[in-house]
Amino acid sequence: LKDKPQIHLERWTVNLFLINSLGWILYLTGYEFLFRGVLLITCYNHLGFWNAVAINLAIYSAIHMVNGSGEAIGALFFGLVVCLLTLYTGTILISVILHIVLAVSTDFFAIRFRQDIKFVINPGKIVKP
């Protein structure tokens, strides 16, 4: 969690956390639409099930390499789960929700458990939820 959240502030208000979460919701909805809605489904229609999944995982994992090999490996497993869910259910909605939950909860737990970041109610009071 040392690089999370991506907004590097020491003090987080509820409003800032909600704005950050809204940003994740908007970003990841588009992201999942691109990866699972366009890329995966197009590859599936032209190349078949496992080829589509392999291509999606290769690109998805490669994009996460900038955040380190641990995140790239995690992206392989998460990507496999959401690819399978998308192809078996015929919707990207589950992938969108899972990705948003992953991102928002990662930020929450980073703020909650890192020693150098705190939730604040007002400038003089620091709280740990």
Side-chain angles (χ1 to χ4, degrees):
L1 297 177
K2 68 181 177 116
D3 295 326
K4 306 291 185 218
Q6 291 181 349
I7 299 173
H8 299 288
L9 294 174
E10 293 177 3
R11 295 173 181 245
W12 281 72
T13 63
V14 171
N15 285 342
L16 177 59
F17 186 78
L18 292 174
I19 290 167
N20 181 64
S21 298
L22 178 61
W24 277 122
I25 291 167
L26 295 172
Y27 172 71
L28 292 172
T29 299
Y31 193 90
E32 286 298 324
F33 176 77
L34 174 66
F35 270 92
R36 263 49 84 172
V38 175
L39 179 63
L40 180 65
I41 299 304
T42 301
C43 288
Y44 172 74
N45 289 335
H46 291 88
L47 304 171
F49 189 92
W50 288 112
N51 289 330
V53 170
I55 290 167
N56 198 276
L57 291 178
I59 296 171
Y60 183 65
S61 182
I63 285 175
H64 285 83
M65 290 286 290
V66 298
N67 297 323
S69 61
E71 189 165 318
I73 292 168
L76 278 173
F77 292 106
F78 181 78
L80 178 62
V81 168
V82 293
C83 282
L84 295 176
L85 285 169
T86 298
L87 291 173
Y88 282 122
T89 63
T91 180
I92 65 167
L93 186 58
I94 296 169
S95 300
V96 170
I97 291 168
L98 286 176
H99 212 158
I100 290 168
V101 168
L102 177 65
V104 171
S105 64
T106 297
D107 283 356
F108 175 81
F109 288 114
I111 297 166
R112 171 71 174 88
F113 291 109
R114 282 183 50 184
Q115 297 298 314
D116 57 332
I117 302 175
K118 307 287 184 245
F119 279 110
V120 295
I121 293 173
N122 62 46
K125 186 170 183 174
I126 298 173
V127 295
K128 283 280 192 182

